[in-house]
Amino acid sequence: MNTTIISSPIGVMAVLIAVVSFWFWLERRTHWKLFNYLPPLIFIYASPVLLSNFGVIPFQSDAYDFLRQYGLPMFIVLMLIKVDVLGAIRIMGKGVFVMLIGSVGVVIGGVLAYTLGQSIAWAPYFPLPEDSWRAFGTLAGSWIGGTGNMTAAHAGLEGTAGDLTMAAAADQMVYLIWLPILLGSKAFADRFNRWMKVPEDRVAQMEQAAAEFDHEEPAPTMTSLLYLGLLAVGFTWVSLGLSEVLPPVVVGGATVITAGTWLILLVTTLALIASVTPARRLPAAQPIAMAIIYVYVARVGATMDLSEASLATMGGFVMMAYVWIFIHGAFILTGAWLFKVDVHTVAIASAANIGGAASAPIVAAHHRKTLVPASILMALIGYALGNYLAILTGRLGQLIGG
């Protein structure tokens, strides 16, 4: 017998969409400063947690299954077909490689943080479950690409709602410290550039390349929307079919690629292939993709059972996330030293990783407004890599953790 107030799949879907719509409406209507520190994503996740735990909507629903099996893969297609790697390289030059080194730092830092969290002395007081490598891989998705990669990695690693809770909480708590550091680095631009021996004309060359970049997108037409729908549904269909027949991959007795992992990897690869074709010029892909993923985040929140939550586990995970972010920072600075890039590029590269497309333009606008379009392109490269590297982070933690 169902004891929830709303139990039909269409009703549950309506509630999830209403939650997403409400929080974005409230942010734009009120402009409360609260949203500078706690973005709508947090409330979009938390609201369904309360709704399901208080019996308004169920913990399990066909609507949730639909979003996981079909909604998430379609989001990945729509998100990744806009990736323009060559455009980012033309503007940011060596800065793209600094961002890639930062991505490597996220992978290595995640594995080290997970391993350290399993072994240090305070572990009995802030225990991390042995399978928390799923949460580390989930957070790696956010720190390499963005929210979409976090949810895709969460699905690919077959994580629980608790894993996403830990990842989302740590993401925001670290962001509150890391974003001011990236913004404040502008004050040390001259000293940093002298220390790194940055060529004096580097910034001028970037701004010239940015001025030549055409980032205007035409209004969508019915035909273009049909093409987008065909790509999203078609690639999802093909990827689902292949994921059901491809065998699992076992390494050292541990299954590291399951059917769910195959699905995320396949749909990511097909979308990236499409991004080098004229499909990249189809308008409106990104706003549709983000609408889907925020509803998916609400779906994950609805499956979170608070009776199973552990504040001690959350505390241990957040502590290791702070260790992790400074490992990423060390890699970013190493990349800056190797390629002799300016502090503006370093800050944008790290923001493109840790904050994704939402934060990279903010940091770019603070440092150099002309580099805002390039910051979005760099964040899209993070989107392209995020699913692969986040799953790799989680699975390496699984293997190293035994």
Short mmCIF file of all heavy atoms in Angstrom, two decimals, residues 279-320:
data_model
loop_
_atom_site.label_atom_id
_atom_site.label_comp_id
_atom_site.label_asym_id
_atom_site.label_seq_id
_atom_site.Cartn_x
_atom_site.Cartn_y
_atom_site.Cartn_z
N ALA A 279 26.72 19.35 -36.26
CA ALA A 279 25.76 19.26 -35.15
C ALA A 279 26.11 20.24 -34.04
O ALA A 279 25.23 20.68 -33.29
CB ALA A 279 25.74 17.84 -34.60
N ARG A 280 27.39 20.61 -33.91
CA ARG A 280 27.81 21.53 -32.85
C ARG A 280 27.16 22.90 -33.01
O ARG A 280 27.01 23.65 -32.04
CB ARG A 280 29.33 21.68 -32.86
CG ARG A 280 29.87 22.45 -31.65
CD ARG A 280 31.38 22.53 -31.64
NE ARG A 280 31.89 23.37 -32.72
CZ ARG A 280 32.94 23.08 -33.45
NH1 ARG A 280 33.60 21.95 -33.25
NH2 ARG A 280 33.36 23.89 -34.39
N ARG A 281 26.74 23.23 -34.22
CA ARG A 281 26.15 24.55 -34.45
C ARG A 281 24.65 24.60 -34.17
O ARG A 281 24.03 25.65 -34.31
CB ARG A 281 26.44 24.99 -35.89
CG ARG A 281 27.93 25.21 -36.17
CD ARG A 281 28.15 25.96 -37.45
NE ARG A 281 27.81 25.15 -38.61
CZ ARG A 281 28.68 24.36 -39.26
NH1 ARG A 281 29.93 24.26 -38.82
NH2 ARG A 281 28.31 23.66 -40.31
N LEU A 282 24.05 23.48 -33.81
CA LEU A 282 22.62 23.48 -33.51
C LEU A 282 22.37 24.29 -32.23
O LEU A 282 23.00 24.03 -31.20
CB LEU A 282 22.11 22.05 -33.32
CG LEU A 282 22.05 21.18 -34.58
CD1 LEU A 282 21.73 19.74 -34.21
CD2 LEU A 282 21.00 21.72 -35.55
N PRO A 283 21.46 25.27 -32.28
CA PRO A 283 21.23 26.11 -31.10
C PRO A 283 20.36 25.44 -30.05
O PRO A 283 19.66 24.46 -30.33
CB PRO A 283 20.51 27.33 -31.70
CG PRO A 283 19.78 26.77 -32.89
CD PRO A 283 20.67 25.68 -33.45
N ALA A 284 20.42 25.99 -28.85
CA ALA A 284 19.54 25.63 -27.72
C ALA A 284 19.88 24.31 -27.05
O ALA A 284 19.17 23.88 -26.15
CB ALA A 284 18.07 25.62 -28.14
N ALA A 285 20.97 23.65 -27.45
CA ALA A 285 21.29 22.37 -26.84
C ALA A 285 21.61 22.53 -25.35
O ALA A 285 21.15 21.74 -24.52
CB ALA A 285 22.47 21.72 -27.56
N GLN A 286 22.39 23.55 -25.01
CA GLN A 286 22.84 23.68 -23.62
C GLN A 286 21.69 24.00 -22.66
O GLN A 286 21.59 23.36 -21.60
CB GLN A 286 23.94 24.72 -23.50
CG GLN A 286 24.59 24.72 -22.12
CD GLN A 286 25.83 25.57 -22.05
OE1 GLN A 286 25.97 26.52 -22.81
NE2 GLN A 286 26.73 25.26 -21.13
N PRO A 287 20.81 24.98 -22.95
CA PRO A 287 19.73 25.22 -21.98
C PRO A 287 18.79 24.03 -21.79
O PRO A 287 18.32 23.78 -20.68
CB PRO A 287 18.98 26.43 -22.58
CG PRO A 287 19.42 26.53 -23.98
CD PRO A 287 20.80 25.96 -24.03
N ILE A 288 18.55 23.28 -22.86
CA ILE A 288 17.71 22.09 -22.72
C ILE A 288 18.42 21.05 -21.85
O ILE A 288 17.82 20.43 -20.97
CB ILE A 288 17.38 21.49 -24.10
CG1 ILE A 288 16.54 22.47 -24.92
CG2 ILE A 288 16.64 20.16 -23.95
CD1 ILE A 288 16.31 22.02 -26.35
N ALA A 289 19.73 20.89 -22.09
CA ALA A 289 20.51 19.93 -21.31
C ALA A 289 20.49 20.29 -19.83
O ALA A 289 20.29 19.42 -18.96
CB ALA A 289 21.94 19.88 -21.82
N MET A 290 20.68 21.57 -19.51
CA MET A 290 20.73 21.96 -18.11
C MET A 290 19.37 21.81 -17.44
O MET A 290 19.29 21.48 -16.25
CB MET A 290 21.23 23.41 -17.99
CG MET A 290 22.66 23.61 -18.47
SD MET A 290 23.84 22.37 -17.83
CE MET A 290 23.78 22.70 -16.08
N ALA A 291 18.30 22.04 -18.18
CA ALA A 291 16.97 21.81 -17.61
C ALA A 291 16.79 20.35 -17.23
O ALA A 291 16.26 20.03 -16.15
CB ALA A 291 15.90 22.25 -18.62
N ILE A 292 17.26 19.44 -18.09
CA ILE A 292 17.14 18.02 -17.81
C ILE A 292 17.95 17.65 -16.58
O ILE A 292 17.47 16.92 -15.69
CB ILE A 292 17.60 17.19 -19.02
CG1 ILE A 292 16.65 17.38 -20.20
CG2 ILE A 292 17.69 15.70 -18.67
CD1 ILE A 292 17.13 16.73 -21.49
N ILE A 293 19.18 18.17 -16.50
CA ILE A 293 20.05 17.70 -15.42
C ILE A 293 19.61 18.21 -14.06
O ILE A 293 19.76 17.54 -13.04
CB ILE A 293 21.53 18.09 -15.69
CG1 ILE A 293 22.46 17.14 -14.92
CG2 ILE A 293 21.82 19.53 -15.32
CD1 ILE A 293 22.25 15.68 -15.25
N TYR A 294 19.02 19.40 -14.00
CA TYR A 294 18.53 19.88 -12.71
C TYR A 294 17.34 19.06 -12.23
O TYR A 294 17.20 18.80 -11.03
CB TYR A 294 18.19 21.36 -12.79
CG TYR A 294 19.39 22.26 -12.68
CD1 TYR A 294 19.81 23.06 -13.74
CD2 TYR A 294 20.15 22.28 -11.50
CE1 TYR A 294 20.92 23.87 -13.64
CE2 TYR A 294 21.27 23.08 -11.39
CZ TYR A 294 21.66 23.88 -12.46
OH TYR A 294 22.78 24.67 -12.35
N VAL A 295 16.49 18.63 -13.15
CA VAL A 295 15.39 17.73 -12.77
C VAL A 295 15.97 16.40 -12.30
O VAL A 295 15.48 15.80 -11.34
CB VAL A 295 14.42 17.53 -13.95
CG1 VAL A 295 13.34 16.50 -13.59
CG2 VAL A 295 13.76 18.84 -14.33
N TYR A 296 17.05 15.95 -12.94
CA TYR A 296 17.69 14.69 -12.52
C TYR A 296 18.28 14.82 -11.12
O TYR A 296 18.19 13.90 -10.31
CB TYR A 296 18.77 14.29 -13.52
CG TYR A 296 19.41 12.97 -13.19
CD1 TYR A 296 18.84 11.77 -13.62
CD2 TYR A 296 20.57 12.90 -12.43
CE1 TYR A 296 19.41 10.55 -13.30
CE2 TYR A 296 21.15 11.68 -12.10
CZ TYR A 296 20.57 10.51 -12.54
OH TYR A 296 21.12 9.30 -12.22
N VAL A 297 18.87 15.97 -10.82
CA VAL A 297 19.41 16.19 -9.47
C VAL A 297 18.29 16.12 -8.44
O VAL A 297 18.44 15.53 -7.36
CB VAL A 297 20.13 17.55 -9.39
CG1 VAL A 297 20.45 17.91 -7.94
CG2 VAL A 297 21.42 17.50 -10.20
N ALA A 298 17.13 16.71 -8.77
CA ALA A 298 15.98 16.63 -7.87
C ALA A 298 15.55 15.18 -7.69
O ALA A 298 15.17 14.76 -6.59
CB ALA A 298 14.83 17.46 -8.43
N ARG A 299 15.64 14.40 -8.75
CA ARG A 299 15.28 12.97 -8.70
C ARG A 299 16.18 12.22 -7.73
O ARG A 299 15.72 11.39 -6.94
CB ARG A 299 15.38 12.39 -10.10
CG ARG A 299 15.30 10.85 -10.16
CD ARG A 299 16.68 10.28 -10.45
NE ARG A 299 16.61 8.82 -10.58
CZ ARG A 299 17.43 7.99 -9.98
NH1 ARG A 299 18.38 8.44 -9.19
NH2 ARG A 299 17.32 6.70 -10.17
N VAL A 300 17.49 12.52 -7.75
CA VAL A 300 18.42 11.85 -6.85
C VAL A 300 18.11 12.23 -5.40
O VAL A 300 18.13 11.39 -4.49
CB VAL A 300 19.87 12.19 -7.20
CG1 VAL A 300 20.83 11.55 -6.20
CG2 VAL A 300 20.20 11.72 -8.61
N GLY A 301 17.79 13.51 -5.17
CA GLY A 301 17.45 13.93 -3.83
C GLY A 301 16.23 13.21 -3.28
O GLY A 301 16.18 12.86 -2.10
N ALA A 302 15.27 12.93 -4.15
CA ALA A 302 14.04 12.26 -3.72
C ALA A 302 14.29 10.84 -3.25
O ALA A 302 13.49 10.28 -2.50
CB ALA A 302 13.02 12.27 -4.85
N THR A 303 15.40 10.23 -3.66
CA THR A 303 15.69 8.85 -3.27
C THR A 303 16.55 8.77 -2.02
O THR A 303 16.91 7.68 -1.58
CB THR A 303 16.42 8.11 -4.41
OG1 THR A 303 17.69 8.72 -4.65
CG2 THR A 303 15.60 8.14 -5.70
N MET A 304 16.87 9.93 -1.42
CA MET A 304 17.73 9.97 -0.24
C MET A 304 16.92 9.71 1.02
O MET A 304 16.01 10.46 1.36
CB MET A 304 18.42 11.33 -0.15
CG MET A 304 19.25 11.52 1.10
SD MET A 304 20.68 10.41 1.12
CE MET A 304 21.41 10.83 2.70
N ASP A 305 17.26 8.65 1.73
CA ASP A 305 16.60 8.30 2.99
C ASP A 305 17.43 8.87 4.14
O ASP A 305 18.54 8.41 4.40
CB ASP A 305 16.47 6.78 3.12
CG ASP A 305 15.60 6.36 4.30
OD1 ASP A 305 15.34 7.23 5.16
OD2 ASP A 305 15.20 5.19 4.36
N LEU A 306 16.90 9.88 4.82
CA LEU A 306 17.65 10.55 5.88
C LEU A 306 17.95 9.63 7.05
O LEU A 306 18.88 9.88 7.81
CB LEU A 306 16.86 11.76 6.38
CG LEU A 306 16.77 12.95 5.41
CD1 LEU A 306 15.93 14.05 6.01
CD2 LEU A 306 18.15 13.47 5.05
N SER A 307 17.16 8.57 7.22
CA SER A 307 17.42 7.65 8.33
C SER A 307 18.73 6.91 8.16
O SER A 307 19.27 6.36 9.11
CB SER A 307 16.26 6.65 8.46
OG SER A 307 16.19 5.82 7.30
N GLU A 308 19.26 6.90 6.93
CA GLU A 308 20.51 6.20 6.66
C GLU A 308 21.70 7.15 6.59
O GLU A 308 22.82 6.73 6.34
CB GLU A 308 20.40 5.42 5.34
CG GLU A 308 19.30 4.36 5.36
CD GLU A 308 19.15 3.68 4.01
OE1 GLU A 308 19.88 4.06 3.07
OE2 GLU A 308 18.31 2.77 3.89
N ALA A 309 21.46 8.45 6.76
CA ALA A 309 22.53 9.44 6.64
C ALA A 309 23.45 9.39 7.86
O ALA A 309 23.02 9.07 8.96
CB ALA A 309 21.94 10.84 6.49
N SER A 310 24.71 9.73 7.65
CA SER A 310 25.71 9.72 8.73
C SER A 310 26.48 11.03 8.71
O SER A 310 27.20 11.32 7.75
CB SER A 310 26.67 8.55 8.55
OG SER A 310 27.76 8.66 9.45
N LEU A 311 26.32 11.84 9.76
CA LEU A 311 27.05 13.10 9.84
C LEU A 311 28.54 12.87 9.99
O LEU A 311 29.36 13.65 9.50
CB LEU A 311 26.52 13.94 11.01
CG LEU A 311 25.07 14.46 10.86
CD1 LEU A 311 24.68 15.23 12.12
CD2 LEU A 311 24.95 15.34 9.63
N ALA A 312 28.92 11.81 10.68
CA ALA A 312 30.35 11.51 10.85
C ALA A 312 31.00 11.21 9.50
O ALA A 312 32.09 11.69 9.19
CB ALA A 312 30.52 10.32 11.79
N THR A 313 30.30 10.42 8.68
CA THR A 313 30.82 10.11 7.34
C THR A 313 30.93 11.38 6.51
O THR A 313 31.92 11.59 5.80
CB THR A 313 29.89 9.10 6.64
OG1 THR A 313 29.90 7.88 7.39
CG2 THR A 313 30.37 8.82 5.23
N MET A 314 29.92 12.24 6.60
CA MET A 314 29.94 13.50 5.86
C MET A 314 31.14 14.35 6.28
O MET A 314 31.84 14.92 5.44
CB MET A 314 28.65 14.27 6.13
CG MET A 314 28.55 15.60 5.41
SD MET A 314 28.18 15.41 3.67
CE MET A 314 26.47 14.89 3.78
N GLY A 315 31.39 14.43 7.61
CA GLY A 315 32.52 15.22 8.09
C GLY A 315 33.85 14.71 7.59
O GLY A 315 34.71 15.49 7.17
N GLY A 316 34.03 13.39 7.60
CA GLY A 316 35.28 12.82 7.09
C GLY A 316 35.47 13.09 5.62
O GLY A 316 36.58 13.41 5.17
N PHE A 317 34.40 13.01 4.86
CA PHE A 317 34.50 13.24 3.42
C PHE A 317 34.86 14.70 3.12
O PHE A 317 35.71 14.98 2.26
CB PHE A 317 33.18 12.88 2.74
CG PHE A 317 33.24 12.93 1.23
CD1 PHE A 317 33.74 11.86 0.51
CD2 PHE A 317 32.82 14.05 0.55
CE1 PHE A 317 33.80 11.91 -0.88
CE2 PHE A 317 32.88 14.11 -0.83
CZ PHE A 317 33.37 13.04 -1.55
N VAL A 318 34.23 15.63 3.82
CA VAL A 318 34.52 17.05 3.59
C VAL A 318 35.97 17.36 3.95
O VAL A 318 36.66 18.11 3.24
CB VAL A 318 33.55 17.94 4.41
CG1 VAL A 318 33.99 19.40 4.35
CG2 VAL A 318 32.13 17.79 3.87
N MET A 319 36.48 16.79 5.05
CA MET A 319 37.88 17.00 5.42
C MET A 319 38.82 16.56 4.32
O MET A 319 39.78 17.26 3.95
CB MET A 319 38.20 16.24 6.71
CG MET A 319 37.59 16.85 7.96
SD MET A 319 38.05 15.89 9.44
CE MET A 319 37.08 16.73 10.69
N MET A 320 38.55 15.39 3.75
CA MET A 320 39.42 14.89 2.69
C MET A 320 39.24 15.69 1.40
O MET A 320 40.17 15.79 0.59
CB MET A 320 39.15 13.41 2.44
CG MET A 320 39.42 12.50 3.63
SD MET A 320 40.90 12.95 4.60
CE MET A 320 42.19 12.89 3.38
#
